[in-house]
Amino acid sequence: MYYKILGKKNADAETVVLSSGLGGSGGFWQPQLAMLAEHFRVVVYDQHGTGISQGTVPAGYRMEDMADELAGMLNELEISRCHLVGHALGGIIGLHLALRYPALLQSLVVINGWTKLDSQTRRCFEVRQNLLLNSGVDAYVQAQPLFLYPGDWLSEHEALLQEERQHQVAHFQGMENLLHRLQALMDSDLTDSLGQVIAPTLAFSAKDDLLVPWSRSVDLASRLPQGEHTQMLYGGHAMSVTDPETFNPILLDWLRRHSAQAPATPSGHLPTETSWPKH
């Protein structure tokens, strides 16, 4: 898979791996890269079958396969311990990674994720799926921002959205790849497994997320032995893009608290609830 390594170069530098959502491209994390690179070695990658990571995603593809692919990449890079920050699908990859390779994760951040698919998220996915199948790639890409960003942000960034639309159509991952990846995501159900996740995990939600109700992050945190929940009040599903000024300090604080150099935190469930306003 295609990846980039940024930031700290020393052998003992702590590593943060960034895993994107359904789009799969590491470019999603651009607003976080400079901040994270000041403090960590940062690995950002394009998931199999997306972006520069060309390849065919087969029918029957599973979230476990995505976790295995990431673990294989980290093994090739000789990374035996890392923080994993995942957005939506990327966060679900992180949960499967935590179950399959528990020693690999120093901490995990799941942004707008879930235990199992919510009816509202399924509704949104089915609408997008029908657009792709019945109206084509351009219609799918044109509608995508409605599920990701708040209305006022959409109104204020029309030129950027048009540029993004052209780029995404030109670099679309392919209909079969997307449909197989989406089905894997919709099929994932971790209800009976989360009690086995030993990594400290932050379930990070946005109050105004249309695609994934914030209550799903609360549920996720409550099922994890070392789960915490924190929430931004504004930003939509992609709040790391729309409001990095609020998002980035929260993420950095979590990573610092779970650094190998940080004081040990108490064991057991940590049901922290924090809401962060829009600047």
Side-chain angles (χ1 to χ4, degrees):
M1 291 189 294
Y2 173 78
Y3 62 85
K4 291 194 295 186
I5 301 178
L6 308 168
K8 300 287 186 179
K9 304 297 183 184
N10 47 306
D12 61 345
E14 291 194 40
T15 300
V16 176
V17 179
L18 302 173
S19 188
S20 303
L22 185 60
S25 171
F28 175 82
W29 299 103
Q30 192 62 39
Q32 284 69 55
L33 294 182
M35 178 271 291
L36 290 174
E38 287 185 26
H39 305 280
F40 303 96
R41 175 171 50 191
V42 181
V43 179
V44 59
Y45 74 107
D46 291 350
Q47 295 162 15
H48 173 61
T50 75
I52 302 176
S53 295
Q54 298 294 315
T56 300
V57 175
Y61 195 58
R62 305 175 305 155
M63 296 303 303
E64 291 91 339
D65 298 320
M66 298 186 208
D68 289 345
E69 289 162 357
L70 176 54
M73 185 190 81
L74 295 176
N75 184 60
E76 290 179 12
L77 294 172
E78 299 184 343
I79 294 172
S80 60
R81 190 82 167 153
C82 66
H83 305 273
L84 192 286
V85 180
H87 180 261
L89 176 143
I92 309 302
I93 291 175
L95 290 168
H96 282 278
L97 197 72
L99 290 165
R100 296 169 76 79
Y101 307 91
L104 184 56
L105 291 186
Q106 189 168 331
S107 78
L108 172 61
V109 179
V110 180
I111 303 162
N112 293 328
W114 56 87
T115 303
K116 66 177 181 179
L117 197 69
D118 181 80
S119 60
Q120 167 62 7
T121 308
R122 181 179 297 278
R123 181 180 299 109
C124 291
F125 282 159
E126 288 175 348
V127 167
R128 295 169 71 183
Q129 190 175 48
N130 289 338
L131 275 171
L132 180 61
L133 291 171
N134 298 320
S135 300
V137 171
D138 186 66
Y140 174 90
V141 171
Q142 184 182 20
Q144 182 168 273
L146 300 175
F147 301 98
L148 301 182
Y149 309 128
D152 62 326
W153 195 92
L154 289 168
S155 179
E156 294 165 6
H157 293 83
E158 179 61 25
L160 175 63
L161 292 169
Q162 290 300 331
E163 180 181 332
E164 194 174 78
R165 176 181 175 183
Q166 293 175 9
H167 176 82
Q168 290 178 355
V169 169
H171 297 87
F172 191 67
Q173 61 187 269
M175 185 177 295
E176 291 299 317
N177 279 5
L178 188 146
L179 291 174
H180 291 157
R181 283 162 42 79
L182 177 58
Q183 191 62 53
L185 179 58
M186 294 173 71
D187 288 344
S188 178
D189 183 349
L190 294 165
T191 304
D192 298 327
S193 305
L194 292 179
Q196 303 170 38
V197 174
I198 62 174
T201 302
L202 178 64
F204 196 164
S205 65
K207 184 79 169 182
D208 61 348
D209 185 355
L210 171 68
L211 183 60
V212 182
W214 61 269
S215 56
R216 297 304 85 212
S217 290
V218 175
D219 174 74
L220 176 62
S222 73
R223 296 173 182 270
L224 292 161
Q226 294 197 75
E228 299 185 31
H229 172 242
T230 195
Q231 183 175 89
M232 286 171 53
L233 301 182
Y234 173 85
H237 187 64
M239 75 277 206
S240 58
V241 174
T242 58
D243 191 8
E245 294 81 7
T246 301
F247 178 91
N248 288 0
I250 303 171
L251 176 61
L252 183 58
D253 176 70
W254 167 268
L255 294 171
R256 282 174 166 166
R257 284 200 289 124
H258 294 85
S259 164
Q261 287 76 43
T265 54
S267 60
H269 180 59
L270 302 173
T272 301
E273 295 283 348
T274 307
S275 292
W276 297 81
K278 179 182 178 182
H279 277 307

